[in-house]
Amino acid sequence: VSHPHPDLGRPSRLPRNGLRIVGLGGLGEIGRNMTVFEHAGRRLIVDCGVLFPDPDQPGVDLILPDFTSLVGRYHLIEAVVITHAHEDHIGAIPYLLRERADIPLVGSKLTLGLVSSKLAEHRITPQTIEVGAGARQTFGPFNCEFLAVNHSIPDALAVAIRTRAGTVLHTGDFKMDQLPLDGRLTDLGGFARLGTEGVDLLMADSTNAEVPGIVTPERDIAPVLADIFASATQRIIVACFASHVHRVQQVLDTAAAHGRKVALVGRSMVRNMGVARDLGYLRIPVVPGGLMVDLKEAEEMPPERIVLISTGSQGEPMSALSRMAGRDHPIRVAEGDTVILASSLIPGNETAVYRVINALTRWGAKVAHRGNAMVHVSGHASAGELLYVLNLVRPRNFMPVHGEWRHLRAHARLASLTGVSDDNIVIAENGMVVDLVDGKASVAGAVPCGYVYVDGLSVGEVTETSLKDRRILGDEGFVSIVVVVDSTTGKLAAPPEIHARGSGIDDAAFGAVIPLIEEALAGVAAEAINDSRQLGQLVRRTVGRWVNENYRRRPMIIPVVVDV
Ligand SMILES: [Zn+2]
Ligand SMILES: [Zn+2]
């Protein structure tokens, strides 16, 4: 396990009146949010999410927070508080429950509904404790109060954690939409009340700390959708996140108003909207004959009567939208169709998304996306809202969370502007230990904390070294050389055999390097070196030098020495 803070030692013992806070993910990155609170020997975890890999992490499916510092302490965990059901907050829960199956999951009705349906796919039935906005509940030495916040998924919660060490307010992901579709406002009154009581540490969402102003209300998208629907003459396909219940609600309402039927496409979209509808968070408009149809029916209907709501807004290659763009889906995108990408563009996905947009455009579709129409608003508070919260809460200490370095720094600056003393602002990275003792938060050390890669069924077995090998293989290909050596004389018993894959060098071209290998091996045979490892290195160096000199390439070179 890598240790990103060699300069920081292991923390010393936490004083009895202290609260220890360790972010195992989400600090310095957008994703895999997970914070461990320790007090009086017990643990409370807030969120347990996944991070999606970059293109330079080939073959990796997911990245988990590093649980190393919890090994041997799983029995001390009182509960996992889940602020909301986005993957970057819930995705690693199945992996945590593998370590201890009966850790209670605490969350709102919709959050637990979505988490449970996802865990069912892993054949896990979790222990759950439902809490609503305004609820107070004690988990061991942690007294938790839950506050409503609005975000790009309904029923999100902030949590105030009271201990003998003081009060921490963790906002979770939030924004301050003043006209939310469900009327459920971020509980600014509650934030102000906590501020008056005294908040020792505020931990707040930093995603949009660099963006000035405030976020546009979700409902402002409705007239834009209405305009697009009014001018569409063929099929409409809307791609958005499979958990964005209110975005889907607006599409359903617009479809009903324009006399179109709706089909949901993509497994997670169908599953999540089923849960949201069953629990009363998604309202299906009542129209003659019913609004919803399944994909089979949608295929048969006249294109001007149908709207498809699909996953794949990030250009994910296996998603329904990418497959439609690649003509690998029962729905054939055609001239005059309208595609709406009603979602953010997550950094790193640009190439994939524009590839899909270009493919759809090539088939003749008109594509509306956030670059050319207001079909998306962010789920995260901008600087104006963050300042508002800082001024309401007036925390003694501040720790920005949920962001890359640039976001954390920008948020820290906002805190400083509102009067939080610079000494009391802690920018921590994953694995850094922050202790709140006697009203002061400070870095007390670090625990081991690296990336845990999931690849297929393997968890944590793919390492940085494997990824480096994969990058070399991906960029340069490989060359294997089999040499058969007579173990008594150290001389070649047969001509070397060379095979290359993905190197861009023709197998026949390697004929030129064979005399060099023979020469090198003859040289060491004279010195009576016949250790197969040393001979292998010699072959690798010889071939590597030849490839570099003649082709300016550095493929992976794998020598195999066989003694006879
Ligand atoms: Zn979120
Ligand atoms: Zn998040």
Side-chain angles (χ1 to χ4, degrees):
V1 174
S2 65
H3 198 301
H5 305 286
D7 50 317
L8 292 172
R10 285 248 166 204
S12 52
R13 239 188 126 69
L14 177 67
R16 286 177 63 85
N17 63 344
L19 174 68
R20 178 159 287 173
I21 300 127
V22 185
L24 296 182
L27 304 176
E29 62 197 359
I30 303 267
R32 60 170 190 156
N33 296 283
M34 179 170 182
T35 312
V36 180
F37 293 87
E38 176 186 347
H39 178 61
R42 307 296 292 177
R43 306 285 192 281
L44 182 79
I45 293 174
V46 174
D47 292 331
C48 187
V50 290
L51 174 68
F52 293 100
D54 280 339
D56 69 345
Q57 294 161 324
V60 174
D61 301 328
L62 296 171
I63 304 170
L64 307 181
D66 188 341
F67 300 155
T68 303
S69 60
L70 290 170
V71 171
R73 301 184 176 95
Y74 291 111
H75 64 288
L76 303 174
I77 300 169
E78 296 285 352
V80 178
V81 170
I82 310 167
T83 58
H84 63 288
H86 277 155
E87 283 299 310
D88 60 323
H89 299 257
I90 64 168
I93 290 174
Y95 302 92
L96 182 65
L97 294 186
R98 272 189 204 179
E99 305 298 333
R100 195 190 123 198
D102 63 347
I103 302 173
L105 306 181
V106 180
S108 67
K109 182 156 95 174
L110 180 65
T111 300
L112 292 179
L114 293 171
V115 168
S116 297
S117 74
K118 182 187 160 64
L119 288 175
E121 292 183 355
H122 290 256
R123 294 173 196 203
I124 298 172
T125 310
Q127 291 205 9
T128 58
I129 300 173
E130 189 182 312
V131 292
R136 274 214 195 200
Q137 190 141 345
T138 295
F139 306 98
F142 306 95
N143 179 269
C144 296
E145 178 182 350
F146 300 92
L147 299 100
V149 289
N150 61 45
H151 182 40
S152 42
I153 187 169
D155 224 13
L157 293 170
V159 58
I161 304 167
R162 293 181 175 88
T163 67
R164 277 181 296 140
T167 299
V168 177
L169 174 59
H170 191 307
T171 63
D173 292 4
F174 81 104
K175 60 175 171 176
M176 287 165 40
D177 193 332
Q178 298 303 299
L179 298 165
L181 250 56
D182 58 4
R184 185 176 177 274
L185 292 161
T186 291
D187 185 2
L188 300 179
F191 282 15
R193 171 175 50 77
L194 285 163
T196 305
E197 276 174 36
V199 168
D200 296 286
L201 176 65
L202 173 65
M203 300 170 72
D205 176 2
S206 309
T207 313
N208 275 341
E210 289 184 310
V211 180
I214 60 168
V215 177
T216 307
E218 171 72 25
R219 64 174 69 220
D220 285 12
I221 294 172
V224 182
L225 288 177
D227 281 353
I228 297 173
F229 274 56
S231 63
T233 54
Q234 299 291 312
R235 191 187 283 123
I236 298 176
I237 301 166
V238 183
C240 70
F241 282 114
S243 56
H244 205 321
V245 178
H246 289 169
R247 193 67 47 83
V248 171
Q249 182 72 62
Q250 302 211 88
V251 177
L252 296 186
D253 295 344
T254 312
H258 289 79
R260 286 178 184 252
K261 304 277 182 189
V262 179
L264 301 177
V265 188
R267 194 168 55 99
S268 54
M269 181 68 78
V270 171
R271 183 191 68 198
N272 287 346
M273 292 309 141
V275 172
R277 184 200 55 221
D278 292 347
L279 297 178
Y281 292 86
L282 184 71
R283 211 178 17 77
I284 311 291
V286 178
V287 299
L291 184 72
M292 306 305 290
V293 295
D294 64 25
L295 187 56
K296 265 252 144 331
E297 295 171 83
E299 282 169 46
E300 318 275 291
M301 292 179 65
E304 70 278 9
R305 297 276 333 276
I306 194 77
V307 180
L308 301 164
I309 305 180
S310 158
T311 55
S313 63
Q314 298 303 308
E316 303 92 321
M318 298 311 293
S319 66
L321 189 68
S322 284
R323 289 173 38 227
M324 287 178 211
R327 281 282 157 102
D328 173 27
H329 195 276
I331 297 292
R332 315 284 288 179
V333 173
E335 188 72 40
D337 284 353
T338 302
V339 179
I340 305 171
L341 295 182
S343 64
S344 62
L345 178 45
I346 295 176
N349 296 344
E350 291 89 346
T351 310
V353 169
Y354 287 116
R355 186 179 295 135
V356 169
I357 291 176
N358 279 319
L360 294 167
T361 310
R362 180 167 169 264
W363 298 122
K366 270 191 285 178
V367 183
H369 54 90
R370 61 173 312 203
N372 61 19
M374 208 201 61
V375 289
H376 172 72
V377 298
S378 176
H380 299 272
S382 296
E385 289 148 275
L386 298 175
L387 285 167
Y388 206 116
V389 166
L390 281 157
N391 282 327
L392 282 177
V393 176
R394 301 183 311 280
R396 281 189 199 98
N397 298 275
F398 177 69
M399 179 172 157
V401 296
H402 204 287
E404 298 172 4
W405 263 99
R406 60 199 176 95
H407 309 124
L408 302 180
R409 283 262 190 241
H411 205 177
R413 209 168 301 124
L414 298 176
S416 177
L417 285 172
T418 63
V420 182
S421 149
D422 286 346
D423 288 346
N424 292 6
I425 298 174
V426 182
I427 303 183
E429 286 186 276
N430 295 331
M432 274 164 70
V433 172
V434 176
D435 283 356
L436 177 66
V437 180
D438 298 329
K440 172 90 174 76
S442 52
V443 174
V447 295
C449 192
Y451 289 103
V452 177
Y453 298 110
V454 177
D455 181 3
L457 293 179
S458 97
V459 179
E461 283 152 47
V462 170
T463 61
E464 297 299 335
T465 315
S466 350
L467 291 185
K468 191 174 165 217
D469 286 347
R470 287 181 184 186
R471 286 191 286 267
I472 294 171
L473 287 168
D475 291 346
E476 303 282 343
F478 84 96
V479 177
S480 83
I481 309 110
V482 180
V483 292
V484 181
V485 179
D486 183 320
S487 57
T488 48
T489 64
K491 287 185 178 149
L492 278 173
E497 262 186 57
I498 304 183
H499 298 282
R501 283 283 185 283
S503 68
I505 303 169
D506 191 74
D507 273 5
F510 284 101
V513 75
I514 288 178
L516 301 178
I517 298 172
E518 287 169 340
E519 191 186 320
L521 289 173
V524 294
E527 294 166 40
I529 296 174
N530 62 359
D531 172 66
S532 59
R533 198 180 57 87
Q534 274 178 289
L535 295 180
Q537 282 180 355
L538 178 69
V539 169
R540 184 155 51 87
R541 274 202 304 276
T542 306
V543 176
R545 195 179 308 128
W546 178 83
V547 170
N548 187 35
E549 279 170 7
N550 291 282
Y551 296 92
R552 292 283 177 271
R553 296 199 192 135
R554 295 182 180 280
M556 181 175 290
I557 295 171
I558 302 170
V560 180
V561 177
V562 182
D563 287 318
V564 292

